[in-house]
């Protein structure tokens, strides 16, 4: 097959699940960043309770490091060693598969010892060494489309992963730069990326970011999370990504974008109603 023609599994293996054609909606959810073990476990256990009666598969997400903060003095997280210990505890306690971001190729192998899915941040979507290192772990790789990238250019990302031995790939839409400090979600990117082969995830919370909107921190508009999530499932996606927190306004990272944990179940129910209504057309 020509080098520019990506090949992937669809459905893709995601821990104990299959994600893609004919499969339940994949839900990737959790706090933006690991703050404490107690809080991380609380969020994971509550999310597990929420999905137990709903037709979705849940992967728990939390970052051990937020390496691309607006300010150099911003809270970054627990660090890789402690963060992976906490994610391992989440996995052991709840039975949920877990995922986290990696920012450097040297982090891939360690993260893969714990995580079922390795997530590549949007700003790093074109970093070949990072993609290759993630692919070589044998784990599923979820790549967020760069805010600066066209959806059809993600075929090169998929080809890099395929060439390094990874066929279980997820592509994630999280908005595109629209001028300074604003993102827009182009729903055309969802069917375009689906045609590349891999299952497609829509990141509803990062899509409402306002980069640098608070001066020394990123702002956002969480009121737009649900409308965008509804639109994405109406267009057709294989999964949704949400960040959630018991008290988003007290979160040290991405608070303005996150859904309050107590509101999450009702939001999910409304989104699933849209998915059920359009399932035969997507």
């Amino acid at each position: 097959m020509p080098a520019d023609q990506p090949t992937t599994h669809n459905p893709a293996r995601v821990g104990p699940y299959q994600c893609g054609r004919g499969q339940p909606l994949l839900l990737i959810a959790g706090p933006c960043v690991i703050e404490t073990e107690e809080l991380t476990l609380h969020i994971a256990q509550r999310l597990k309770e929420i999905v137990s009666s709903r037709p979705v598969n849940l992967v728990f997400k939390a970052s051990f490091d937020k390496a691309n903060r607006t300010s150099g003095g911003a809270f970054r997280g627990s660090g890789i060693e402690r963060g992976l210990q906490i994610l391992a505890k989440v996995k052991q306690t709840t039975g949920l598969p877990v995922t986290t971001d990696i920012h450097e190729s040297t982090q891939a192998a360690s993260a893969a010892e714990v995580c079922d899915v390795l997530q590549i941040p949007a700003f790093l979507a074109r970093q070949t060494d990072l993609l290759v290192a993630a692919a070589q772990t044998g784990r599923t790789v979820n790549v967020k489309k760069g805010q600066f990238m066209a959806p059809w250019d993600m075929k090169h990302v998929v080809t890099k992963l395929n060439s390094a031995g990874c066929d279980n790939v997820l592509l994630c839409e999280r908005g595109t730069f629209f001028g300074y400090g604003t993102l827009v979600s182009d729903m055309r990117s969802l069917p375009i990326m689906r045609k590349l082969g891999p299952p497609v995830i829509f990141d509803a919370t990062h899509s409402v970011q306002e980069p640098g909107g608070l001066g020394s921190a990123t702002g956002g508009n969480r009121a737009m999370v649900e409308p965008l999530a509804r639109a994405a499932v109406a267009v057709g996606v294989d999964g949704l990504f949400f960040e959630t927190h018991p008290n988003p306004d007290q979160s040290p990272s991405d608070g303005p974008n996150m859904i309050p944990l107590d509101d999450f179940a009702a939001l999910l129910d409304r989104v699933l109603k849209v998915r059920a209504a359009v399932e035969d057309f997507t």
Side-chain angles (χ1 to χ4, degrees), residues 230-249:
R230 290 188 191 184
V233 295
V235 170
V237 287
D238 304 292
L240 291 172
F241 180 109
F242 294 100
E243 287 184 337
T244 184
H245 190 282
N247 189 350
D249 292 334

Side-chain angles (χ1 to χ4, degrees), residues 147 175-185:
Q147 301 94 322
T176 301
F177 285 135
F178 188 70
Y180 296 121
T182 305
L183 299 175
V184 65
S185 292

Side-chain angles (χ1 to χ4, degrees), residues 6-279:
T7 59
T8 59
H9 295 314
N10 191 333
R13 176 177 50 81
V14 180
Y17 314 133
Q18 295 288 315
C19 173
R21 291 189 292 264
Q23 302 300 314
L25 189 73
L26 184 73
L27 191 65
I28 302 175
C32 177
V33 65
I34 295 171
E35 298 175 51
T36 66
E37 178 178 314
E38 181 182 16
L39 178 62
T40 306
L41 283 168
H42 169 71
I43 297 171
Q45 289 166 338
R46 181 67 187 117
L47 287 172
K48 182 179 180 180
E49 292 169 2
I50 289 170
V51 303
S52 64
S53 59
R54 293 169 173 88
V56 299
N57 291 326
L58 174 64
V59 175
F60 180 78
K61 177 270 168 188
S63 298
F64 60 77
D65 182 22
K66 304 303 292 185
N68 61 349
R69 301 304 306 274
T70 303
S71 168
F75 178 76
R76 289 182 53 167
S78 58
I80 186 169
E81 183 175 355
R82 181 59 179 147
L84 291 177
Q85 289 173 354
I86 292 172
L87 288 172
K89 184 71 173 291
V90 168
K91 194 170 182 178
Q92 177 185 20
T93 303
T94 66
L96 293 171
V98 298
T99 186
T100 196
D101 309 285
I102 58 171
H103 300 87
E104 301 174 12
S105 56
T106 55
Q107 297 174 339
S110 297
E113 291 179 4
V114 173
C115 296
D116 302 86
V117 181
L118 299 182
Q119 181 170 284
I120 307 299
F123 284 125
L124 302 177
R126 290 173 47 134
Q127 293 296 103
T128 301
D129 290 347
L130 181 61
L131 292 169
V132 169
Q136 290 177 340
T137 66
R139 294 301 193 184
T140 301
V141 180
N142 177 31
V143 186
K144 294 196 172 185
K145 180 181 76 64
Q147 301 94 322
F148 46 87
M149 292 178 67
W152 47 84
D153 286 336
M154 289 297 285
K155 71 178 181 181
H156 303 299
V157 172
V158 178
T159 300
K160 290 178 185 180
L161 292 169
N162 293 166
S163 299
C166 179
D167 293 325
N168 288 293
V169 176
L170 306 176
L171 297 181
C172 185
E173 169 62 51
R174 50 92 14 105
T176 301
F177 285 135
F178 188 70
Y180 296 121
T182 305
L183 299 175
V184 65
S185 292
D186 181 359
M187 292 296 161
R188 297 176 301 174
S189 72
L190 303 176
I192 290 171
M193 288 198 294
R194 275 182 128 190
K195 286 183 179 179
L196 298 179
V200 171
I201 312 298
F202 180 73
D203 181 345
T205 42
H206 286 101
S207 291
V208 304
Q209 274 187 338
E210 296 171 358
L214 299 180
S216 61
T218 291
N221 181 4
R222 75 171 64 100
M224 290 292 104
V225 170
E226 183 175 338
L228 289 178
R230 290 188 191 184
V233 295
V235 170
V237 287
D238 304 292
L240 291 172
F241 180 109
F242 294 100
E243 287 184 337
T244 184
H245 190 282
N247 189 350
D249 292 334
Q250 298 302 313
S251 170
S253 179
D254 271 358
N257 316 318
M258 287 198 284
I259 297 299
L261 189 57
D262 286 345
D263 297 342
F264 190 74
L267 180 155
L268 183 58
D269 282 340
R270 292 189 292 269
V271 169
L272 288 173
K273 286 181 181 179
V274 177
R275 179 174 167 84
V278 303
E279 210 157 16

